[in-house]
Amino acid sequence: MSLSQIAAETYGMTAGRTWSLVGAALGLVGIGIGVFARRRGVVAVACGVAGALIGVLVVVMAKGGPGTGYGIVGGYISLVLGVVAAVLGGLAMRKGARAGARRAG
């Protein structure tokens, strides 16, 4: 195996890196929705859970550490962003329910 083949495998866009980017994007979308929305907390929770699950799958399936091309660092980032998005979505849902209860009562 030549040095250029090793570099291509290490620095290229691998499946693990792609999935960790997808999970991180879902987590960021969930965080954005959770912060700026009142009634769309369910969407933020769904995006957060999906991002966290993708992150867990990437971390579990990785066969090497950071820099090996398996996307383990992105998987951890996706996991954290997903959990944060789910928590913010839950808080937005509570906030929306309290606002609805005040209007009704």
Side-chain angles (χ1 to χ4, degrees), residues 14-18 20 58-59 61-65 67-73 75:
T14 62
R17 288 177 178 163
T18 302
S20 64
V58 168
V59 169
M61 300 300 284
K63 295 177 183 152
T68 58
Y70 289 104
I72 195 162
V73 174

Side-chain angles (χ1 to χ4, degrees), residues 16-32 47-48 50-56 58 71 73-82 85:
R17 288 177 178 163
T18 302
W19 278 110
S20 64
L21 283 174
V22 168
L26 282 171
L28 285 174
V29 167
I31 289 172
C47 286
L53 285 177
I54 290 172
V56 167
V58 168
V73 174
Y76 282 121
I77 292 170
S78 173
L79 176 64
V80 170
L81 290 176

